Structure formats: C-alpha cells, structure tokens
Amino acid sequence: MSDYLVSESRTIAADPQRLFDIVADPAMHPKIDGSGTVQALRTGGPERLSAGAKFSVDMKIGAPYKVMNTVVEFDDGKRIAWRHFNGHIWRYTFEPAPGGGTTVTEQWDARHVWNRLFLKLVGFPKKNRAGIKGTLTRLDELVTQS
C-alpha cells in the first residue's frame, strides 16, 4: 500500500445498490461526509452521478472554497470515483459481504498527483483516513437507523 493511497473498509447491514445510490446522490455528500469539509452541494449539477458527470460542492478547510468534481469511474452498484482539479481521486466500492450486508471501501488516491509530497507533508493521508472512517460510520448510521 502506498502512502498516497488511503483505504478503509466497513461492513454495513444494507444492500450494495442502496449504499451505492446514496453515494451516487451528490446531495447526500454533506450528510455522509465524516471529515467536516463538505459543506453543501452547489446548484446546477445532476441529481444522480454517472460516468463523466460533473458536480460542485462548497468546501471548508480553514477557509471556504468550492470544488468541481468529475466522475472518472462508474460501475452502477459496484464502484464510483470522482476527481477534482488537483487530480486526486475519491473512490467507493461496494461488495456483498460474506454472511450478508455490504463491504464498503472508500479510498483517497493521490498516487498520480503532481504535488503528492506536499499533501503528505501537510498531513492529508492521516487526516483523510480519519475522515474516511467518519464517512463510513455516518453512511452506516444513515442506513441502519432509518
């Protein structure tokens, strides 16, 4: 595993398609984000993500900013990933778990980003690992408490 690929998994007691549909709904991103950085979905984007779709969100890390994302991987019910201007990728995979439920894996992939050393020096791998764990917890709570 690379320092520039952060990956965490969690088994959630829900159907893979149900979980995928939540992540493929950009309006849900502020609700499931465990990092506290995704503030709101910006208007004008799609209601459901698909291959090549573009969507924008309001973010805040210290100061507010906005970011435009493009879906770069899409296999309905199984895998979705998007990238923004810096080039790193946020990826989710959904696999049926032995015994029931779904193993959801979220990844932050900066292996091919030009400024990955800077990202490491300012602590993004560690911060993103904590945020990913928080997101998987929130996703679990959303589907198991509703």
Side-chain angles (χ1 to χ4, degrees):
M1 193 72 58
S2 164
D3 287 341
Y4 305 105
L5 176 64
V6 175
S7 185
E8 291 289 336
S9 297
R10 182 178 183 126
T11 299
I12 300 175
D15 177 74
Q17 189 66 53
R18 181 174 179 208
L19 294 162
F20 182 92
D21 289 342
I22 291 168
V23 175
D25 178 352
M28 294 300 292
H29 291 194
K31 294 175 179 143
I32 64 170
D33 171 47
S35 70
T37 61
V38 180
Q39 303 296 298
L41 177 66
R42 297 184 65 82
T43 59
E47 289 184 22
R48 186 174 194 276
L49 300 177
S50 59
K54 295 183 182 302
F55 67 102
S56 184
V57 291
D58 290 328
M59 304 284 294
K60 185 175 183 183
I61 300 177
Y65 63 100
K66 68 178 180 176
V67 69
M68 175 66 75
N69 298 290
T70 302
V71 176
V72 294
E73 298 173 19
F74 189 88
D75 186 358
D76 200 342
K78 297 178 183 174
R79 178 186 197 96
I80 187 168
W82 53 85
R83 174 183 65 223
H84 67 64
F85 67 90
N86 195 47
H88 57 269
I89 294 173
W90 290 98
R91 177 181 298 113
Y92 291 81
T93 60
F94 306 84
E95 298 177 357
T102 303
T103 299
V104 181
T105 301
E106 181 181 357
Q107 297 179 326
W108 174 77
D109 188 349
R111 291 176 295 180
H112 304 289
V113 175
W114 67 272
N115 65 343
R116 65 186 176 274
L117 179 59
F118 170 77
L119 294 172
K120 185 177 178 184
L121 290 173
V122 297
F124 274 103
K126 184 177 180 181
K127 292 174 189 174
N128 287 334
R129 184 171 307 283
I132 287 170
K133 287 179 179 179
T135 297
L136 293 173
T137 297
R138 290 178 85 162
L139 182 60
D140 190 343
E141 291 169 348
L142 179 70
V143 298
T144 58
Q145 295 178 5
S146 58

